[in-house]
Amino acid sequence: MQANAARRATQAAMSIASSLGLTAYDAAVLHDSNKLTLRLQPCDVLARVTPAAHQCAQLEVDTAKRLFEIGSPVAALEAPEVFVWDDYVVTLWTYYEPVTTQAIPPADYARALERLHAGMRRVDLPTPHFTDRVSAAQTLLANHDRTPKLADADRIFLADNLERLRRAVSDSGRPEQLLHGEPHPGNLLSTPIGLLFIDFETCCRGPIEFDLAHAPDEVGDLYPGVDHQLLRDCRALMLAMITTWRWDRDDQFPDGHSLGIEWLSELRKATAR
């Protein structure tokens, strides 16, 4: 977030926490991009703050609450509600002290994701389809005002691959279920009570390979029953989507423009095989 927006977002989180009787005198920034993640002190609560115009907080809270209730490996809510302050939406979560900064072993990662998927098969909530996310990327590509720095040749390349890969995944015939949407390493915490997934605002329906595309390659190798050709298509589709988002003029992902250039090159190599 821009500095002024981050200050207002922090004030929103602290004000909401105080209104609930939590003592919040300070806030440490844990992650700052299009949304802000804060550790509130001394109450030691994690707050996630998103501009009201760009959020799916209710879906995230509802999904996490249901999954936690059935024992899935998810972070707990501090308050099972979505709060609005000024132009910001705030959700409050349990803060977990990380037990290690080392990469999570692929076998442990695969088991945790398998447990999450098993729990998600028991949860019935209205959620978007993965193709809705692809459509959002396609709409962004078609809007030259939103992606002014993207060269025409790159725009055509991304558009062609988004459509081709969307069709390949949709036509695979694989079973579909509720998914995390982005279970990458940044959304899996190593805590004193085990591995826990966070950030459920990207939940969608689709084949499990769509989720596995966001995890390290070794995780897909260890996850049971994977269609590896579909996984390759999902990885390329995921790369095409995240590359497109980095060219959004409003994107605030750290080093987003540099990543957009780098990922375009990676996508060309992946689709040339």
Side-chain angles (χ1 to χ4, degrees):
M1 289 185 181
Q2 300 296 330
N4 184 56
R7 284 193 295 270
R8 291 172 56 224
T10 301
Q11 183 58 49
M14 296 177 72
S15 296
I16 291 296
S18 296
S19 73
L20 297 176
L22 300 170
T23 306
Y25 300 140
D26 191 23
V29 176
L30 302 182
H31 182 74
D32 182 5
S33 58
N34 296 334
K35 57 179 173 280
L36 194 65
T37 303
L38 304 164
R39 182 182 182 182
L40 305 182
Q41 295 283 24
C43 62
D44 215 15
V45 168
L46 186 138
R48 300 186 69 222
V49 192
T50 311
H54 306 286
Q55 56 83 31
C56 302
Q58 193 63 58
L59 172 62
E60 178 180 32
V61 166
D62 291 344
T63 303
K65 182 173 181 292
R66 293 282 298 278
L67 289 169
F68 182 81
E69 289 171 348
I70 62 175
S72 293
V74 302
L77 286 153
E78 188 70 23
E81 300 171 63
V82 175
F83 303 95
V84 179
W85 189 93
D86 196 4
D87 295 328
Y88 294 92
V89 169
V90 180
T91 53
L92 299 176
W93 305 79
T94 298
Y95 175 77
Y96 298 92
E97 192 73 44
V99 298
T100 180
T101 58
Q102 301 299 312
I104 295 169
D108 295 344
Y109 201 131
R111 282 192 292 269
L113 188 54
E114 188 179 6
R115 284 183 57 211
L116 179 69
H117 285 157
M120 286 183 145
R121 287 192 287 272
R122 299 171 56 191
V123 172
D124 184 18
L125 287 170
T127 51
H129 195 256
F130 83 91
T131 53
D132 295 335
R133 299 186 62 198
V134 180
S135 295
Q138 291 173 313
T139 298
L140 182 61
L141 275 182
N143 189 334
H144 289 241
D145 289 338
R146 287 281 303 277
T147 52
K149 295 183 179 180
L150 187 59
D152 288 343
D154 293 334
R155 190 183 305 276
I156 293 170
F157 170 73
L158 285 169
D160 288 348
N161 277 281
L162 284 170
E163 181 59 23
R164 177 181 64 82
L165 292 163
R166 180 190 67 79
R167 289 183 180 179
V169 177
S170 295
D171 296 344
S172 68
R174 290 281 285 173
E176 296 188 349
Q177 66 160 82
L178 180 63
L179 303 173
H180 181 287
E182 290 186 1
H184 55 67
N187 284 333
L188 181 58
L189 306 179
S190 183
T191 80
I193 60 172
L195 298 178
L196 300 176
F197 286 94
I198 61 170
D199 196 354
F200 290 89
E201 68 179 8
T202 55
C203 279
C204 59
R205 298 196 69 82
I208 58 168
E209 287 82 1
F210 185 83
D211 259 4
L212 285 164
H214 294 79
D217 290 353
E218 298 86 352
V219 175
D221 294 336
L222 295 169
Y223 193 104
V226 171
D227 181 323
H228 288 281
Q229 177 56 55
L230 178 57
L231 179 54
R232 284 190 289 272
D233 287 340
C234 286
R235 284 172 176 157
L237 178 60
M238 177 270 293
L239 185 55
M241 288 192 297
I242 63 175
T243 300
T244 298
W245 295 331
R246 298 294 77 83
W247 291 92
D248 186 350
R249 70 181 182 198
D250 298 326
D251 182 55
Q252 296 180 41
F253 197 87
D255 298 321
H257 184 64
S258 296
L259 287 173
I261 296 171
E262 177 184 339
W263 291 346
L264 259 174
S265 177
E266 288 185 18
L267 183 61
R268 289 189 186 280
K269 293 176 183 176
T271 55
R273 293 168 190 165

